[in-house]
Amino acid sequence: KTPLAVIKMRVQMWEKEIKNNPSLQKQISPESMTLVLDEINRLSSLVKRLVVFSRPIQKNFKPIDIKPLIEEVTGMVDISIDHKNISIEKSFGKEIPLVSADSNTIKQVLINVLNNSIESIREKGMITINTSYFQEKDMVEIDICDTGEGIPDEILDKIFDPFYTTDMQNGTGL
């Protein structure tokens, strides 16, 4: 990250010089400087995500109730779906036991899946979240479905590959 910080600092210094020097303004537009700074920020964000991905993650496993966790996460994403006319329907199975898990990791997974669902829905749609408990396997399942476009068959085998993404603007595939 240090080289990016140095580059950003230098570009910001040049930006100040350009603002104070009309002859330089003719050569380098303010839009160009803004574009360079935006791309540096985007690259810096990507580097941060890669660093997080490469670090061993400390898990804090403890018994959690998934219902309030799902309620919390859907409350967070509700803000971003208002402009698309998307509704979220939740159905919680009966007698869902506590799950031994890291709540932050489960939240992040749910946020990622819900954001993918939101992106796949163009203007109007529904996301359904169902929970079930399978006693014979001692397994809790969270099932998330949406009315979005779905994943094209030709890329289905790539979706779990690290760094694979179809969102070239903002996605990292992590």
Side-chain angles (χ1 to χ4, degrees):
K1 293 186 327 188
T2 304
L4 282 175
V6 171
I7 292 168
K8 184 175 180 177
M9 186 172 52
R10 180 61 64 165
V11 170
Q12 287 171 329
M13 287 170 44
W14 291 339
E15 187 177 38
K16 285 180 185 175
E17 285 182 38
I18 291 169
K19 283 180 184 176
N20 297 328
N21 188 334
S23 66
L24 285 176
Q25 289 176 9
K26 291 177 185 175
Q27 296 174 14
I28 303 169
S29 71
E31 293 82 18
S32 294
M33 294 303 288
T34 300
L35 176 66
V36 170
L37 286 170
D38 287 348
E39 291 303 306
I40 290 170
N41 289 334
R42 194 168 72 83
L43 191 53
S44 182
S45 175
L46 176 62
V47 169
K48 268 189 222 168
R49 291 163 95 177
L50 289 172
V51 167
V52 167
F53 179 73
S54 66
R55 248 187 236 142
I57 299 171
Q58 290 288 13
K59 301 287 183 197
N60 183 15
F61 284 86
K62 60 183 179 184
I64 59 170
D65 184 349
I66 60 168
K67 182 179 178 182
L69 191 122
I70 291 171
E71 293 286 4
E72 180 184 346
V73 169
T74 55
M76 289 189 302
V77 298
D78 271 344
I79 297 166
S80 66
I81 64 176
D82 287 344
H83 68 282
K84 279 190 168 184
N85 196 16
I86 298 172
S87 59
I88 296 179
E89 188 175 288
K90 296 169 276 204
S91 173
F92 299 103
K94 294 180 180 159
E95 300 180 30
I96 303 286
L98 297 179
V99 177
S100 178
D102 180 85
S103 62
N104 288 328
T105 302
I106 299 298
K107 282 180 194 177
Q108 190 59 56
V109 168
L110 290 172
I111 289 168
N112 291 350
V113 172
L114 289 173
N115 282 337
N116 286 346
S117 288
I118 291 166
E119 287 176 18
S120 76
I121 297 171
R122 292 293 169 222
E123 291 178 24
K124 182 178 181 179
M126 177 178 285
I127 299 171
T128 57
I129 303 171
N130 298 304
T131 62
S132 306
Y133 175 58
F134 300 95
Q135 189 171 5
E136 64 280 356
K137 295 180 182 178
D138 192 30
M139 180 178 81
V140 172
E141 178 180 88
I142 302 171
D143 184 45
I144 302 174
C145 297
D146 63 63
T147 57
E149 295 180 358
I151 302 169
D153 288 340
E154 60 271 11
I155 66 165
L156 201 52
D157 62 333
K158 300 175 186 171
I159 62 170
F160 293 107
D161 292 349
F163 306 108
Y164 179 79
T165 183
T166 56
D167 183 357
M168 297 305 175
Q169 291 286 54
N170 301 309
T172 59
L174 297 177

